[in-house]
Amino acid sequence: MIPAGRDEFSNVDRVQSAEICFLLFAVLYIVSYFIITRYKRKSDDHEDEDAVVNRISFYLCTFTLAVSGGAVFLLPFSIISNEILLSFPKNYYIQWLNGSLIHGLWNLVSLFSNLCLFVLMPFAYFFLESEGFAGSKKGIKARILETFVMLFLLALLILGIVWVASALIDNDPACMESLYDLWEFYLPYLYSCISLMGGLLLLMCTPVGLSRMFTIMGQLLVKPTILEDLDEQIYCIHLQEEALQRRLNGMSVGDLNKELDNIRNQRNKLERRKKASGWEKNLLYPIVMLILLAGTTISVLMVAFNILYLLVDETAMPKGSTDRGIGNTSLSTFGLAQAVLEIILMFYLMVSSVVGFYSLRVFEGLTPRNDDTTMTTIIGCCVSILVLSSALPVMSRTLGITRFDLLGDFGRFNWLGNFYIVLSYNLLFAVVTTLCLVRKFTSAVREELLKALGLDKLQLSNSPTDPESGKLSANGHQKTL
């Protein structure tokens, strides 16, 4: 029998945790609102049926992006909370930071992820594309009716696919009967399949993004000027620009206009490099590149050590935890310093996965553009980011980036207990990331070898640099070995 004081404290604790969860989600929702507003295509202020539909879809996308942000911050917040409670166990000002709050956050993120992925985002898409059934009176009600019918048909389709997959993978009568329980077994089983797909998507995007980050930072920062004459390059650019302007002579030619815009962009980059200060060119760029290289190297080394742990120790397998005790033991060997490093690596991997996702040719069409992104594209972006962010805690635990056990429904995924899947996941991540980095840093050598052998015209290299030696690259200077 629970004492009255203990029960009263527990109820107060739950109310306090609910208030904190609501406050954190409100902050994420506001940030998500401004992010989507920045990319959403501007429309007129005329209030009509399509405007109402767009507004509803916009709010649903904002909610989904906020849930994605919660999934990204979920594991880092839990790790830092555990270390803070270990360092200050009796501090009055952090009493709100407890196991009830952490477990509540994990359960809410899991619930809202399912809700957004299987209900809200399909509803937003079908509602946006609906027009009402033929012969019915047009209006919002007709579009809502068509949307619910499409959702019902989609649910039947997904139910059938899961049943067939379950029969092919595990033809066990007990497993098939468990699917009758929609809430306790079917939805977690379906979300487990989605998490596996998200993990595979992260496995495909993260190595590409890790190598792509060097290119992006190289374009954003000013590179050191070594054996380069910027004045001469700017003079050559001016000559090319004047020659193109004389060829145009007031005529509107699409190809020439694009080439003129490219040359002007290159001139602006060269002028920016010339005006940059010495510390920005000679200090900031090397430091940022060394930080990226160190982060990538540490990630690969941690995965390599995790592979060894998996081969010799069964406790290295990712598993879920139902223990509500937070702040009892430290899961980091070096305490708070290692916990901070793990959090930095998680955010680095998440940013790299998003960069790699939009770098893949398959998903280039989903790249958002400022003030010119349709709601259909925003829905696709929100779903993709939700899948990636929901799989981030699972990937971080599977790769051994952290030893913090997965809580809530995140620890109930069936494939986490399969040794061969976990080991193969670690091996593929380490090998593919290493190959991407080697390919990135040896691209200049390969291009020079192809030119020396006379094979450059065969386009055997997929490097983004222009094969013509005299043409400037995107950074505004010639790439030489």
Side-chain angles (χ1 to χ4, degrees):
M1 185 174 179
I2 301 176
R6 174 75 176 275
D7 187 49
E8 181 182 359
F9 174 77
S10 179
N11 291 331
V12 173
D13 195 25
R14 292 194 190 98
V15 173
Q16 188 179 31
S17 300
E19 293 175 350
I20 296 173
C21 291
F22 177 79
L23 179 62
L24 294 175
F25 184 78
V27 173
L28 291 173
Y29 188 89
I30 293 173
V31 174
S32 303
Y33 178 86
F34 285 109
I35 291 175
I36 296 182
T37 304
R38 178 183 178 184
Y39 291 101
K40 179 178 175 293
R41 177 176 293 175
K42 304 302 180 182
S43 57
D44 53 12
D45 297 332
H46 182 64
E47 188 73 16
D48 56 359
E49 180 182 323
D50 291 333
V52 175
V53 173
N54 278 320
R55 189 180 301 111
I56 294 175
S57 300
F58 172 79
Y59 292 145
L60 294 179
C61 290
T62 305
F63 182 85
T64 302
L65 190 60
V67 173
S68 303
V72 171
F73 287 98
L74 189 60
L75 190 55
F77 182 77
S78 302
I79 293 173
I80 199 66
S81 299
N82 185 68
E83 297 299 328
I84 290 176
L85 289 174
L86 280 173
S87 303
F88 309 99
K90 302 298 182 180
N91 195 312
Y92 173 77
Y93 295 101
I94 60 171
Q95 292 300 315
W96 57 271
L97 200 61
N98 49 48
S100 176
L101 172 64
I102 302 300
H103 280 264
L105 288 174
W106 281 78
N107 292 328
L108 284 177
V109 169
S110 177
L111 175 63
F112 288 156
S113 298
N114 282 282
L115 181 66
C116 294
L117 194 59
F118 301 121
V119 180
L120 298 185
M121 285 296 95
F123 176 85
Y125 177 76
F126 290 134
F127 192 41
L128 198 65
E129 299 293 329
S130 64
E131 296 180 356
F133 291 110
S136 62
K137 185 179 179 181
K138 302 298 180 182
I140 296 294
K141 293 183 179 180
R143 299 180 72 161
I144 292 177
L145 177 61
E146 181 184 353
T147 302
F148 277 111
V149 171
M150 295 299 298
L151 284 176
F152 177 74
L153 296 177
L154 179 64
L156 291 180
L157 177 63
I158 295 177
L159 178 64
I161 292 175
V162 172
W163 270 87
V164 172
S166 178
L168 293 176
I169 296 174
D170 188 7
N171 193 10
D172 185 8
C175 179
M176 300 297 292
E177 290 180 2
S178 64
L179 291 178
Y180 286 113
D181 195 337
L182 183 65
W183 187 258
E184 290 294 330
F185 291 96
Y186 178 76
L187 286 180
Y189 180 82
L190 183 59
Y191 191 56
S192 176
C193 298
I194 298 297
S195 72
L196 180 59
M197 294 174 59
L200 295 177
L201 186 60
L202 278 175
L203 182 62
M204 181 172 57
C205 298
T206 307
V208 177
L210 289 174
S211 61
R212 179 69 178 161
M213 288 288 288
F214 292 91
T215 303
I216 293 177
M217 297 308 298
Q219 294 173 352
L220 295 177
L221 300 177
V222 178
K223 291 186 176 182
T225 305
I226 302 176
L227 300 178
E228 288 187 274
D229 190 351
L230 294 179
D231 292 328
E232 181 182 354
Q233 293 185 26
I234 292 174
Y235 177 71
C236 294
I237 286 290
H238 275 298
L239 292 179
Q240 294 181 20
E241 184 178 356
E242 292 175 359
L244 281 175
Q245 288 177 349
R246 285 194 300 267
R247 289 175 60 185
L248 284 173
N249 287 329
M251 298 175 58
S252 179
V253 182
D255 295 337
L256 292 180
N257 284 327
K258 291 180 180 179
E259 188 174 354
L260 183 61
D261 292 337
N262 292 333
I263 290 178
R264 286 173 177 172
N265 291 332
Q266 292 173 7
R267 176 172 56 83
N268 294 331
K269 291 177 181 178
L270 287 173
E271 291 176 351
R272 178 175 177 268
R273 291 185 63 200
K274 185 179 179 180
K275 296 177 181 178
S277 59
W279 74 270
E280 185 180 358
K281 291 188 292 186
N282 302 322
L283 187 61
L284 182 61
Y285 180 84
I287 289 177
V288 172
M289 289 299 164
L290 286 176
I291 291 175
L292 293 179
L293 183 60
T296 306
T297 305
I298 293 174
S299 301
V300 175
L301 289 177
M302 292 183 73
V303 175
F305 284 123
N306 188 56
I307 293 173
L308 297 178
Y309 288 148
L310 287 172
L311 295 175
V312 299
D313 190 1
E314 293 182 355
T315 59
M317 287 287 294
K319 61 181 183 298
S321 175
T322 57
D323 184 15
R324 290 191 173 272
I326 300 294
N328 296 330
T329 57
S330 178
L331 301 175
S332 304
T333 306
F334 300 100
L336 184 61
Q338 183 177 346
V340 173
L341 177 62
E342 292 173 356
I343 292 172
I344 293 174
L345 289 178
M346 289 177 200
F347 286 125
Y348 179 50
L349 292 178
M350 183 61 199
V351 174
S352 301
S353 65
V354 175
V355 171
F357 176 81
Y358 288 113
S359 299
L360 296 176
R361 294 182 180 179
V362 181
F363 305 110
E364 282 182 351
L366 292 177
T367 305
R369 296 179 298 273
N370 288 343
D371 299 330
D372 192 29
T373 307
T374 61
M375 280 306 305
T376 305
T377 305
I378 290 177
I379 291 173
C381 292
C382 290
V383 172
S384 304
I385 294 176
L386 178 62
V387 173
L388 291 174
S389 59
S390 298
L392 179 65
V394 182
M395 186 191 75
S396 301
R397 182 62 182 91
T398 304
L399 295 178
I401 303 297
T402 180
R403 296 295 173 188
F404 194 92
D405 291 331
L406 302 173
L407 305 178
D409 289 335
F410 286 89
R412 297 174 58 186
F413 297 151
N414 299 330
W415 59 274
L416 289 176
N418 192 312
F419 172 78
Y420 297 102
I421 293 180
V422 174
L423 181 62
S424 301
Y425 195 91
N426 282 262
L427 288 171
L428 283 174
F429 182 87
V431 171
V432 174
T433 303
T434 305
L435 290 177
C436 288
L437 291 178
V438 170
R439 180 180 179 274
K440 171 67 181 176
F441 290 110
T442 59
S443 59
V445 178
R446 287 186 286 106
E447 288 177 5
E448 293 297 327
L449 288 176
L450 291 176
K451 290 178 182 179
L453 297 174
L455 301 176
D456 54 320
K457 296 182 180 180
L458 298 179
Q459 296 182 355
L460 298 177
S461 176
N462 294 326
S463 178
T465 57
D466 195 280
E468 300 176 7
S469 59
K471 193 169 183 177
L472 298 176
S473 66
N475 298 325
H477 61 277
Q478 291 182 348
K479 263 196 161 182
T480 57
L481 177 62

